[in-house]
Amino acid sequence: MLQFEWPWLFVLLPLPWLLRRYLPPATPAQGAALRVPTLHDFEVLMAGGGSAQARRANVLLAALAWALLVTGAARPVWLGDAVELPINGRDLMLAVDLSESMHESDFVLNNQPVDRLTACKAVAREFITRRVGDRLGLILFGQQAYLQVPLTFDRQTVQQLLDEAVIGIAGRQTAIGDALGLGVKRLREQNTPHKVMILMTDGRNTAGDVDPLRAAELAAEAGLTVHTIGIGADEALQRGFFGTIRVNPSNDLDEDSLRAIAKKTGGRYFRARDAQAFEKIYAEIDKLEPVEHGGSHFRPTSALFYWPLGAALAIYLGLLAWVPRQSAAELA
């Protein structure tokens, strides 16, 4: 939509006409004389003849240039469609297990068996994309826990660094308590009222200095909500010396501790037995921790003043070049 920031400047449009209408005509300069061999040329000019139409055209062009000049001075802008500004919803920290057991290929994506980390990345990628307005962070842990991405609105970076995570890079064991403690340390320093951590693991705490339940108590004191996700299928087929047998690949999953962590912090425990369950879990977390909407809006503006100003300048330059030639042609 076209809009003028200073529309009152359009009152200047009739200014040239008013000056011509009410000011006295300029007095010709006196005291100078020009000697010419004949007065025929001046008679032609006084009669007007065929040059009158050209002069009217010049006046119209000058008026058009003045109108364009005033239009540009009124600062026309183009208002774009209203855009909703994202607001700061939550500080949300993802903690992903990279221990050796995440190599277990008991998940299926696109009819292909994949390991647990690959399934975790695929589902978390869409979840991260949906979290507009939230600050996201990423903690990776194995035998040790480290902050891979500090809290940021840059969801693309979080996705990229999660995709680049490799099993075993932080050690083969599982330091759930250290990962939870690191998340508490990073989140309790923030002033955001909504602080959430999603802890994903397929095992039990086998390393680290911090007890997971003690870390959960600290999280609760800091006002941090922790949702825990236990990863792993209930059964899988395993070929052995005596043939194929059914085994439980999630024997090491400590569901009791994960439930206790979630309960202490007001969160929920989820069990991801396959990729579909994983997707439902993230959909459920979206409901528990909805993305904030209803923020302020703004309409992007594009300045347009240079178009009428450029056109006015072009017309004036054209008149400056054309009028002397026209006068010379009439005198020839």
Side-chain angles (χ1 to χ4, degrees), residues 264-311:
K264 283 179 179 291
T265 60
R268 284 186 56 184
Y269 167 68
F270 302 92
R271 177 67 189 277
R273 294 180 173 83
D274 52 41
Q276 290 72 29
F278 228 146
E279 292 175 354
K280 292 180 181 177
I281 290 169
Y282 276 113
E284 186 66 24
I285 292 176
D286 279 334
K287 295 178 183 177
L288 294 173
E289 312 292 348
V291 175
E292 299 287 346
H293 291 288
S296 58
H297 295 72
F298 87 105
R299 301 186 70 170
T301 59
S302 300
L304 302 175
F305 67 89
Y306 44 83
W307 291 107
L309 288 182

Side-chain angles (χ1 to χ4, degrees), residues 101-115:
S101 57
M102 292 292 282
H103 265 310
E104 184 71 35
S105 299
D106 54 354
F107 280 72
V108 176
L109 285 177
N110 300 322
N111 298 320
Q112 296 293 326
V114 296
D115 60 52

Side-chain angles (χ1 to χ4, degrees), residues 180-190 224:
L180 189 53
L182 180 57
V184 173
K185 180 181 178 181
R186 290 293 177 174
L187 288 170
R188 69 181 175 187
E189 300 170 351
Q190 310 301 321
L224 172 62

Side-chain angles (χ1 to χ4, degrees), residues 17 44 46 65 68 95 101 120 122 129 132 136 168 195 296-297 302 317:
W17 180 82
V44 171
M46 294 295 293
L68 290 171
S101 57
C120 179
T129 302
V132 178
L136 302 179
K195 292 173 280 192
S296 58
H297 295 72
S302 300
L317 292 177

Side-chain angles (χ1 to χ4, degrees), residues 42-324:
F42 294 94
E43 292 173 354
V44 171
L45 290 176
M46 294 295 293
S51 64
Q53 186 175 4
R55 284 198 292 274
R56 283 197 296 272
N58 292 342
V59 171
L60 290 177
L61 287 174
L64 176 61
W66 172 252
L68 290 171
L69 186 64
V70 173
T71 302
R75 295 190 65 83
V77 294
W78 181 261
L79 291 180
D81 295 332
V83 177
E84 182 180 353
L85 291 174
I87 62 176
N88 187 359
R90 288 174 174 76
D91 284 341
L92 200 157
M93 186 72 76
L94 301 175
V96 181
D97 186 356
L98 297 182
S99 62
E100 188 70 18
S101 57
M102 292 292 282
H103 265 310
E104 184 71 35
S105 299
D106 54 354
F107 280 72
V108 176
L109 285 177
N110 300 322
N111 298 320
Q112 296 293 326
V114 296
D115 60 52
R116 294 168 178 174
L117 180 60
T118 301
C120 179
K121 291 177 180 178
V123 181
R125 190 179 301 123
E126 298 179 4
F127 174 75
I128 292 171
T129 302
R130 296 194 295 267
R131 304 307 301 188
V132 178
D134 288 343
R135 286 199 308 172
L136 302 179
L138 177 63
I139 290 175
L140 302 177
F141 66 96
Q143 190 169 345
Q144 298 176 336
Y146 62 92
L147 183 66
Q148 181 72 342
V149 184
L151 291 169
T152 176
F153 289 109
D154 188 354
R155 288 171 288 133
Q156 186 175 358
T157 296
V158 178
Q159 288 179 354
Q160 180 180 346
L161 293 181
L162 176 59
D163 287 340
E164 293 175 357
V166 178
I167 294 174
I169 193 172
R172 303 179 63 178
Q173 295 179 298
T174 308
I176 295 175
D178 282 7
L180 189 53
L182 180 57
V184 173
K185 180 181 178 181
R186 290 293 177 174
L187 288 170
R188 69 181 175 187
E189 300 170 351
Q190 310 301 321
N191 294 323
T192 309
H194 304 293
K195 292 173 280 192
V196 180
M197 185 171 180
I198 300 175
L199 178 71
M200 291 166 277
T201 181
D202 66 341
R204 63 179 65 247
N205 190 65
T206 57
D209 300 323
V210 182
D211 178 73
L213 297 182
R214 175 56 184 155
E217 292 173 356
L218 295 175
E221 293 172 2
L224 172 62
T225 302
V226 181
H227 300 297
T228 54
I229 301 176
I231 305 172
D234 284 333
E235 63 176 23
L237 298 178
Q238 189 177 68
R239 293 182 178 179
F241 183 77
F242 296 104
T244 302
I245 59 174
R246 292 183 182 275
V247 298
N248 181 2
S250 301
N251 275 328
D252 293 334
L253 180 61
D254 185 1
E255 292 189 275
D256 292 338
S257 293
L258 296 180
R259 284 194 186 93
I261 292 170
K263 185 177 180 180
K264 283 179 179 291
T265 60
R268 284 186 56 184
Y269 167 68
F270 302 92
R271 177 67 189 277
R273 294 180 173 83
D274 52 41
Q276 290 72 29
F278 228 146
E279 292 175 354
K280 292 180 181 177
I281 290 169
Y282 276 113
E284 186 66 24
I285 292 176
D286 279 334
K287 295 178 183 177
L288 294 173
E289 312 292 348
V291 175
E292 299 287 346
H293 291 288
S296 58
H297 295 72
F298 87 105
R299 301 186 70 170
T301 59
S302 300
L304 302 175
F305 67 89
Y306 44 83
W307 291 107
L309 288 182
L313 180 62
I315 292 174
Y316 277 123
L317 292 177
L319 288 174
L320 289 175
W322 168 251
V323 171

